[in-house]
Amino acid sequence: MKLGLYFWGVRTAWHTEDDGEFFCPDCGGDRAYHRRTGTRRLTVLKVPLLARGPAGTVIECTACHRQFGPEVLLTPTTTRFAAMLRDAVHTIALAVLTAGGASGRPAREAAVGAVRAAGFTDCTEEQLLGLLAAIVADEGRFRRSEELGPDSFAEAVDGCGSWLSIELHEALEPLTDHLLTQGRERVLLQGAHIALADGPYLPAEREVLEAIGRCLSLHTDDIERLLTAAAATPS
């Protein structure tokens, strides 16, 4: 009987379909991978003969050679995650400015600082105001740029609700699966600090910040607690 084991067996033949970069759980960082599909084959004297059915699809790390299920690709690479976080902060800054913060220089400066810290290191106040002008144009409320000084800009962007709804959902909701609660709270607080840079929350700013919290899957009570605490903390 034992002798037969040396003659008969089943071996999996792997075929590489494509490759890319992923976050390897074992390596703890971004690594290259091969997507491979397997076919089980009956072997005689270690020579593959008859197919015995598929063995499924795996993601194999080219560094540690561990194999994972395809769902491992749902976790963003560290490079992709940094870009997602950067885009989220950028969108939040624009949303707060759209809600009224554009009228005060401290808020605009706070927005620029937050966006730079998130990864857009060359961001300027002029660039943010230019993007706000584009948002206004999309909403059909655009006025000629020469008529819009920094102090009157908030009047032009007031009411761009559809942009806020679309952009906030697209930028923030993908983060909820990859950030712990504390991380999502910190993202919300970045928006709060921009809104508070030039004084207490405006009603529209408060509404936008509450919408940001909901997009980050934070509980209503936690959103209220965080925004109230931020407003009570000296800047």
Side-chain angles (χ1 to χ4, degrees), residues 86 90 111-128 131:
R86 178 192 64 201
H90 188 263
V112 171
V115 172
R116 286 178 175 174
F120 286 115
T121 56
D122 58 350
C123 176
T124 65
E125 183 177 321
E126 290 73 19
Q127 288 175 342
L128 287 183
L131 287 171

Side-chain angles (χ1 to χ4, degrees), residues 122-221:
D122 58 350
C123 176
T124 65
E125 183 177 321
E126 290 73 19
Q127 288 175 342
L128 287 183
L129 292 179
L131 287 171
L132 288 176
I135 294 168
V136 175
D138 288 341
E139 293 290 335
R141 295 170 60 91
F142 180 74
R143 291 188 294 170
R144 290 180 303 166
S145 59
E146 59 267 24
E147 297 176 352
L148 297 175
D151 294 334
S152 64
F153 204 91
E155 297 177 5
V157 298
D158 178 48
C160 297
S162 62
W163 175 86
L164 288 177
S165 177
I166 295 171
E167 294 295 325
L168 288 176
H169 281 282
E170 290 184 351
L172 302 182
E173 288 184 349
L175 283 175
T176 61
D177 293 333
H178 310 296
L179 276 178
L180 298 177
T181 301
Q182 288 182 334
R184 287 180 277 132
E185 290 180 348
R186 290 186 62 183
V187 172
L188 173 60
L189 288 175
Q190 291 191 62
H193 293 153
I194 295 172
L196 292 167
D198 54 1
Y201 301 120
L202 296 174
E205 290 175 334
R206 184 67 182 242
E207 291 179 5
V208 165
L209 291 170
E210 290 171 355
I212 290 170
R214 290 192 295 271
C215 288
L216 291 168
S217 297
L218 294 173
H219 192 275
T220 303
D221 292 342

Side-chain angles (χ1 to χ4, degrees), residues 33-120:
Y33 73 83
H34 293 310
R35 185 196 298 269
R36 311 185 75 188
T37 56
T39 301
R40 295 187 179 91
R41 293 186 177 277
L42 180 67
T43 63
V44 177
L45 293 176
K46 298 184 179 182
V47 177
L49 298 176
L50 300 176
R52 302 286 290 180
T57 300
V58 299
I59 304 300
E60 182 177 298
C61 177
T62 62
C64 68
H65 302 292
R66 287 291 303 275
Q67 294 181 338
F68 308 93
E71 65 276 4
V72 74
L73 297 183
L74 296 176
T75 300
T77 63
T78 54
T79 301
R80 173 58 184 154
F81 181 76
M84 292 168 62
L85 193 57
R86 178 192 64 201
D87 291 344
V89 173
H90 188 263
T91 302
I92 288 172
L94 285 174
V96 174
L97 294 181
T98 299
S103 61
R105 179 168 294 277
R108 297 196 300 269
E109 291 177 346
V112 171
V115 172
R116 286 178 175 174
F120 286 115

